Amino acid sequence: MTEPSHSLDPQDWTSLRAEGHRMLDDMLDYIEGIRERPVWQNIPEQVRGKFRQNLPKQSNDLAQVHQRFMQDVLPYAVGNSHPRFMGWVQGGGTPVGMLAEMLAAGLNANLGGRDQMPIEVENQVTQWMRELFQFPSTASGLFVTGTSIANFIAVLVARTKALGLASRRTGIVNSEKNLVAYASVGAHACVSQAIDMAGIGIDALRLIPVNPDFSMDLQQLEQQIEADRAAGLSPFLIAGTAGTVDVGAIDDLDAIATLAQRHGLWFHIDGAYGALAMLSDVVAPRLKGIERADSIAFDFHKWAQVQYDAGYILVRDGQAHFDTFATPTSYLKRETRGIAAGERWPCDFGPDLSRGFRALKAWFTIQVYGVERLGRMIEHTCALAQRLQQRIRNEPKLELLAPVNLNIVCFRYRDSELDLDALNRDIVFELHESGIAAPSTTKVNGHLAIRAALVNHRTREEDIHEMLDAVLRFGEQLSQLPKS
């Protein structure tokens, strides 16, 4: 009697191959024809209702589940692959990255540790990042979900460095030092969240005012550091920003590095999207001083267009990074031979033991496109932002609300007697619901702004004009509606 198989592999590999090829073709068709689709469309209630079903007890046909995806999931994604998605700083992905993600999924490697080639791929990317940011060979790097976690890791390393290794056992509550950190008011909220999760407390993050160009006011920063020291507190970290989330401002990184060195503070850079401007010889000079940082957090899934998710943390002092996370345990014992060989594993540099093969899609992207082509793409998005800025300046009904530093443009429609904040918010709603374009909103100097972040490599000049034409059209229509 033959024992029944409990494997989840198919009995008919030929049929699976055929369906797999259909799935691959469907996604390539989707990417190839993305420009003809609406950027975003509202989800019908009957489609939402289909995803309220009970837990399936029986098997379902793969082709039928695939069809459900095509009909009920794919059309209602957020739209960041689309060239007129301009709302949030999200990369558009590439066909190369998609295929690399498929290879990684097929391999199903766990990159927590052990002696395996996928870790060498991640090490290769770390070597490239050391080269890109001019960090020493002893610097460490790690793929994580995104810059939020990368910032958190940087805070933990800086905290351990400030309090000593004993603090890993005794905790910060038993330390005599009351730690305080610094960032600009324009820093991303995840910096504050990192300070919170590190047990230091949100109130310990001093938010420093900004200059007219939205960069951190360094005179105010130094005054705050001196005031905190005089009050018996222990400054330990400055978080500079390379490309703020609202307007794309860049702090004076070189000057902050000098200030941090003078005061003996850890200099971290939140470069979520802006740090990879280093790929462009034209844009990189704006980041002068980034090579002096103690740590840099950034995302490959933004300007480098790698598929989600692919965040990264680079730390100058690799030993300090290791000391912050390494935890010897019997089941993770390192051997001199076999699968468990190796001295330092990725799990020694972050909180995750289970880690996917994120490095492969970044490795493929850099290998296939090369730094020069990626750099030109970044330059192109910045050039588009300049053209968008010029068009806004030439339109009497539009107003620029912030200087354009990199690739983010903040503006508003102003030719109306209505509440301009409410009007511009409604314009953005109309843009989204029409499927024409998807900018977002933010507040700039107290005014609601339409925020266009030009990150997608597929975006062309015609797209920014189509978006602005729609802004003007919707602004005119909404301004003529009867006042309530």
Side-chain angles (χ1 to χ4, degrees), residues 14 31 72 96 211 219 231 288 298 375 386 426 449 474:
T14 300
I31 296 173
D72 299 333
V96 166
N211 299 310
Q219 183 177 357
K288 185 176 186 298
F298 58 92
Q386 292 299 319
D426 286 343
F474 288 132

Side-chain angles (χ1 to χ4, degrees), residues 9-57:
D9 286 336
Q11 293 182 332
D12 184 351
W13 282 95
T14 300
S15 296
L16 180 76
R17 288 177 189 274
E19 188 61 35
H21 285 296
R22 279 191 289 272
M23 295 166 83
L24 178 59
D25 284 339
D26 279 345
M27 294 315 299
L28 291 174
D29 288 344
Y30 170 75
I31 296 173
E32 185 179 8
I34 191 70
R35 184 172 286 279
E36 281 66 54
R37 292 178 170 272
V39 180
W40 178 85
Q41 49 187 336
N42 202 7
I43 306 169
E45 198 53 44
Q46 63 268 31
V47 173
R48 289 186 194 274
K50 294 179 182 180
F51 290 82
R52 306 292 186 266
Q53 66 183 19
N54 294 329
L55 181 68
K57 293 185 181 299

Side-chain angles (χ1 to χ4, degrees), residues 78-384:
V78 76
N80 55 293
S81 295
H82 199 287
R84 288 191 301 281
F85 182 93
M86 305 171 183
W88 295 266
V89 181
Q90 298 181 14
T94 67
V96 166
M98 185 192 81
L99 295 172
E101 191 82 308
M102 179 188 67
L103 296 178
L107 194 59
N108 194 31
N110 178 358
L111 269 70
R114 301 176 180 83
D115 191 14
Q116 53 173 318
M117 204 59 204
I119 289 178
E120 294 302 325
V121 174
E122 184 161 346
N123 291 340
Q124 170 72 89
V125 178
T126 295
Q127 179 186 325
W128 289 340
M129 293 306 100
R130 292 186 193 116
E131 180 181 347
L132 182 67
F133 292 103
Q134 301 172 46
F135 270 42
S137 61
T138 51
S140 55
L142 190 75
F143 274 90
V144 292
T145 55
T147 293
S148 294
I149 294 300
N151 283 332
F152 179 44
I153 288 175
V155 169
L156 291 177
V157 177
R159 185 193 71 181
T160 303
K161 188 83 170 176
L163 299 181
L165 285 177
S167 65
R168 291 192 60 190
R169 287 187 173 276
T170 61
I172 62 173
V173 69
N174 292 311
S175 172
E176 296 179 355
K177 294 182 177 180
N178 292 317
L179 299 179
V180 286
Y182 308 87
S184 86
V185 294
H188 195 281
C190 69
V191 175
S192 173
Q193 185 182 50
I195 296 292
D196 176 16
M197 293 191 298
I200 299 167
I202 294 172
D203 288 347
L205 179 64
R206 310 302 199 219
L207 295 179
I208 307 301
V210 294
N211 299 310
D213 65 355
F214 296 92
S215 65
M216 196 188 316
D217 186 326
L218 301 191
Q219 183 177 357
Q220 296 262 10
L221 171 61
E222 186 137 34
Q223 288 174 358
Q224 185 65 61
I225 293 171
E226 291 172 351
D228 286 335
R229 280 230 166 92
L233 303 176
S234 299
F236 82 110
L237 175 143
I238 303 172
T241 303
T244 59
V245 66
D246 281 339
V247 300
I250 305 168
D251 289 333
D252 188 339
L253 305 178
D254 205 33
I256 295 176
T258 298
L259 189 153
Q261 189 174 38
R262 184 167 66 249
H263 287 278
L265 308 184
W266 186 278
F267 177 32
H268 173 65
I269 294 176
D270 176 358
Y273 85 91
L276 285 178
M278 291 295 289
L279 293 168
S280 161
D281 290 340
V282 172
V283 188
R286 303 184 201 179
L287 303 184
K288 185 176 186 298
I290 197 170
E291 73 283 353
R292 299 174 63 191
D294 291 300
S295 53
I296 308 171
F298 58 92
D299 292 320
F300 286 100
H301 56 233
K302 290 187 169 74
W303 237 349
Q305 313 295 330
V306 172
Q307 259 71 5
Y308 276 85
D309 52 40
Y312 197 81
I313 177 68
L314 185 68
V315 181
R316 177 179 301 278
D317 186 341
Q319 185 62 44
H321 190 182
F322 176 83
D323 289 342
T324 301
F325 290 99
T327 306
T329 56
S330 59
Y331 61 89
L332 295 178
K333 186 176 183 295
R334 315 302 154 83
E335 302 289 356
T336 56
R337 297 171 55 190
I339 295 175
E343 182 182 353
R344 296 186 175 188
W345 293 352
C347 65
D348 295 323
F349 294 91
D352 295 323
L353 178 57
S354 298
R355 303 177 65 247
F357 196 1
R358 294 186 181 97
L360 189 65
K361 53 196 171 187
W363 183 81
F364 258 84
T365 298
I366 296 169
Q367 288 272 22
V368 171
Y369 296 110
V371 167
E372 290 183 1
R373 187 173 177 186
L374 292 171
R376 288 195 300 271
M377 175 269 298
I378 287 171
E379 292 161 19
H380 169 69
T381 61
C382 291
L384 285 179

Side-chain angles (χ1 to χ4, degrees), residues 213-214 247-249 286 381-390 392-393 400-411 452 454:
D213 65 355
F214 296 92
V247 300
R286 303 184 201 179
T381 61
C382 291
L384 285 179
Q386 292 299 319
R387 292 180 197 134
L388 177 56
Q389 174 181 239
Q390 191 58 49
I392 291 166
R393 284 175 169 164
L400 193 71
L401 292 181
V404 177
N405 293 286
L406 291 170
N407 59 336
I408 295 178
V409 183
C410 293
F411 67 101
L454 304 175

